[in-house]
Amino acid sequence: MVAILKEPYPQIRLMREEDLEQVAAIEMQGYEYPWTLAIFRDCLRAGYQCWVLAHSVEIIGYGILTVAAGEAHVLNVCVAVAEQGGGHGTRLMQRLIDLARWHCAQRIFLEVRPSNTHAIKLYDQLGFNEIGKRPNYYPAKRGREDALVMAMELLPPE
């Protein structure tokens, strides 16, 4: 008898080209208007901070961050529907925040749909504040949906 041991806790690691199909599948499950595989490939090739949360070869979440001119921008974060509620989104966001600090960003921004109340609650808990709105930012069933713009100042450690 052979026992296959599953990692006790998913690991965060850099996204690789071979992860893209799983990442795109999670995106399609998680969002009504998902990014395409090509968008993820472009982010990876552009050198953005692309990270996955994985049990061995099974991807269960991902996060993408870009940093430039002292500012960081969370472009996309998603956890597989079956894995939500286990703190994985918090872990991914904390990694992106840590990376923004490591790159000496002074603040970090993100956009979120007002209808995505779970994400807004997470961002609030992490220290993000709503700073504005982008009208008609997201596609929606009945036209377009605004985006809430949230930001967090990345103060140096005391």
Side-chain angles (χ1 to χ4, degrees), residues 15 17 20 23 35-51 62-66 73-76:
M15 187 184 294
E17 187 88 21
L20 293 179
V23 167
W35 280 14
T36 64
L37 181 71
I39 293 171
F40 287 106
R41 184 174 289 116
D42 287 347
C43 288
L44 194 60
R45 290 180 179 168
Y48 293 169
Q49 293 292 314
C50 301
W51 294 79
Y62 56 86
I64 300 175
L65 177 83
T66 185
H73 195 146
V74 176
L75 299 178
N76 196 337

Side-chain angles (χ1 to χ4, degrees), residues 35-135:
W35 280 14
T36 64
L37 181 71
I39 293 171
F40 287 106
R41 184 174 289 116
D42 287 347
C43 288
L44 194 60
R45 290 180 179 168
Y48 293 169
Q49 293 292 314
C50 301
W51 294 79
V52 296
L53 183 62
H55 273 298
S56 186
V57 296
E58 179 190 2
I59 307 300
I60 64 168
Y62 56 86
I64 300 175
L65 177 83
T66 185
V67 183
E71 296 181 345
H73 195 146
V74 176
L75 299 178
N76 196 337
V77 174
C78 190
V79 173
V81 174
E83 299 287 342
Q84 291 178 1
H88 301 310
T90 300
R91 281 188 68 207
L92 282 165
M93 280 300 299
Q94 193 58 60
R95 172 57 60 95
L96 297 180
I97 293 166
D98 291 346
L99 286 164
R101 280 193 172 102
W102 188 83
H103 283 282
C104 300
Q106 296 170 356
R107 67 195 52 83
I108 185 168
F109 296 93
L110 59 81
E111 289 86 17
V112 61
R113 290 176 184 267
S115 60
N116 192 345
T117 57
H118 292 293
I120 293 168
K121 182 178 176 184
L122 168 64
Y123 303 144
D124 281 339
Q125 290 172 344
L126 289 169
F128 284 82
N129 296 296
E130 182 179 336
I131 62 166
K133 291 186 181 179
R134 296 191 196 281

